[in-house]
Amino acid sequence: RVTADPLEIYLEERDLDRALREDVRTGLTAVPRWLPPKWFYDARGSELFEEITRLPEYYPTRAERSVLAARAGEIARLTDAKTLIELGSGSSEKTRLLLDALTAHGSLGTFVPLDVSVSALRQSTADIAAAYPGLRVRGIVGDFTRHLDRLPTGGRRLVAFLGGTIGNLLPAERATFLAALRSALERGDWLLLGTDLVKDPGVLVPAYDDAAGVTAEFNRNVLRVLNRELGADFDVDAFDHVAVWDPDRRWIEMRLRARQPMRVRVLDLDLTFAAGEEMRTEISAKFRPADVDAELAAAGFTGQARWTDDDGLFAVTLAQA
Ligand code: AVJ
């Protein structure tokens, strides 16, 4: 490698380890048990997620990409952004549409992807630095709920939070996150927010319970992470993948269901699972357009524009701080 390592590491190994232990202790001793979705994304989990985005049932990635393909030029003109920051950037694959448009528009100097997955960031920063010569690429390994104060400051920033990842936060966490993001920004900076929309459960549920079983493997991967990182002894294949639509809270809930009674040791915990016991591993909230406006307004953003794909599956909203 001739170029300098473009990653700024804010999530040190021991930091990550401490956060994982805390989450596991809190979540696995709660009733019902739960685990936060960010621990899905080790190298294997990030690959499985990329595989999910190519599944026929998983429409959000394709729908959002079609919006960005149609609107990236308009977004570049409206924002005139010098710095593009991407939260939860993963592979940054769809972000290339924004990078292309902002580069053509001529305003962009720096791209700052932030993600918890070191492996995904190493790959994406290297790929993007190679594809966009002249662009400064500064990857940040971090948690978007904790490291907003580490974002670069100054000069017409556009923060992209795509993929519907905001839906993985609980409503109260979303409000806290959006308010923190607003206060990390200067008036006039921009937020481009991707949100999946409420729709027929006949479309929603298969997107989180695909026929090929990739989402099931992705879900079970969190147990593999706990086994490897904490020396837990989960019998991973004894847990079934469950995806349910909650029409009142308007979110998809992913769970892992113990197929038989089990005893699991993790940290200093000795856990008993009953047959059929479920633990929650992710929520993925779906929005009505008015919900997005209300949540952005409550955090101090002004709505500027919203676009959806031709089938009305997914929304991309541009708001200003
Ligand atoms: C990328 C986090 C938004 O919630 O749809 C995909 C993750 N989980 N299938 C989502 C996910 C199950 C995805 N996000």
Side-chain angles (χ1 to χ4, degrees):
R1 187 92 150 261
V2 281
T3 55
D5 191 323
L7 291 189
E8 283 176 31
I9 313 241
Y10 288 122
L11 273 178
E12 303 280 351
E13 206 61 60
R14 64 186 145 73
D15 219 36
L16 262 174
D17 189 62
R18 192 180 322 118
L20 175 63
R21 285 165 189 273
E22 243 175 64
D23 285 350
V24 165
R25 181 177 304 283
T26 308
L28 292 189
T29 56
V31 184
R33 299 187 217 273
W34 59 276
L35 289 168
K38 69 172 160 235
W39 304 114
F40 285 133
Y41 299 93
D42 67 345
R44 170 100 179 110
S46 296
E47 270 167 34
L48 284 166
F49 176 67
E50 290 304 313
E51 205 177 316
I52 287 172
T53 66
R54 295 187 290 268
L55 292 169
E57 297 97 330
Y58 194 77
Y59 60 86
T61 307
R62 282 184 296 277
E64 186 179 52
R65 186 186 298 118
S66 82
V67 176
L68 294 175
R71 304 296 182 172
E74 204 171 336
I75 292 164
R77 281 192 300 279
L78 282 167
T79 63
D80 197 31
K82 285 174 65 175
T83 302
L84 175 62
I85 297 165
E86 184 177 20
L87 305 179
S89 51
S91 69
S92 291
E93 185 271 324
K94 284 165 288 166
T95 314
R96 288 170 176 248
L97 295 163
L98 294 173
L99 292 170
D100 289 342
L102 287 163
T103 305
H105 177 70
S107 57
L108 191 69
T110 308
F111 175 51
V112 184
L114 179 148
D115 203 276
V116 279
S117 173
V118 188
S119 63
L121 261 188
R122 277 199 200 287
Q123 185 73 51
S124 69
T125 49
D127 291 352
I128 284 172
Y132 298 85
L135 184 67
R136 258 189 92 208
V137 180
R138 283 179 50 191
I140 299 181
V141 178
D143 177 338
F144 55 71
T145 64
R146 287 173 50 211
H147 298 109
L148 293 177
D149 55 332
R150 315 292 165 86
L151 301 179
T153 54
R156 294 200 310 279
R157 289 172 292 174
L158 167 59
V159 174
F161 193 28
L162 302 175
T165 301
I166 192 165
N168 292 155
L169 301 177
L170 289 162
E173 294 173 332
R174 256 166 19 221
T176 304
F177 164 76
L178 285 172
L181 178 59
R182 171 63 190 84
S183 67
L185 297 179
E186 307 276 355
R187 183 182 289 277
D189 285 339
W190 298 87
L191 168 63
L192 188 69
L193 183 66
T195 48
D196 196 9
L197 298 174
V198 172
K199 60 185 64 63
D200 184 345
V203 176
L204 281 169
V205 173
Y208 291 83
D209 193 5
D210 62 281
V214 181
T215 308
E217 268 316 298
F218 173 74
N219 194 5
R220 282 190 281 262
N221 189 59
V222 73
L223 301 183
R224 295 206 170 87
V225 170
L226 268 47
N227 283 353
R228 187 188 61 234
E229 297 299 325
L230 304 177
D233 63 353
F234 279 100
D235 179 357
V236 174
D237 295 315
F239 284 84
D240 288 321
H241 169 67
V242 178
V244 285
W245 167 242
D246 182 332
D248 300 319
R249 297 191 281 190
R250 292 184 293 278
W251 69 48
I252 287 275
E253 203 165 304
M254 293 210 312
R255 303 175 187 156
L256 288 168
R257 181 192 289 148
R259 206 174 297 135
Q260 67 235 12
M262 268 180 281
R263 187 171 172 196
V264 177
R265 319 296 175 88
V266 51
L267 306 174
D268 57 353
L269 305 171
D270 187 345
L271 308 173
T272 312
F273 286 79
E277 183 176 339
E278 294 179 340
M279 77 183 137
R280 186 177 81 201
T281 50
E282 183 183 70
I283 66 152
S284 191
K286 308 307 167 188
F287 296 82
R288 299 168 300 193
D291 302 332
V292 179
D293 289 343
E295 293 189 23
L296 285 172
F301 288 96
T302 337
Q304 295 285 327
R306 175 160 44 242
W307 306 281
T308 58
D309 57 295
D310 291 342
D311 300 318
L313 299 171
F314 196 96
V316 175
T317 303
L318 182 64
Q320 196 164 28

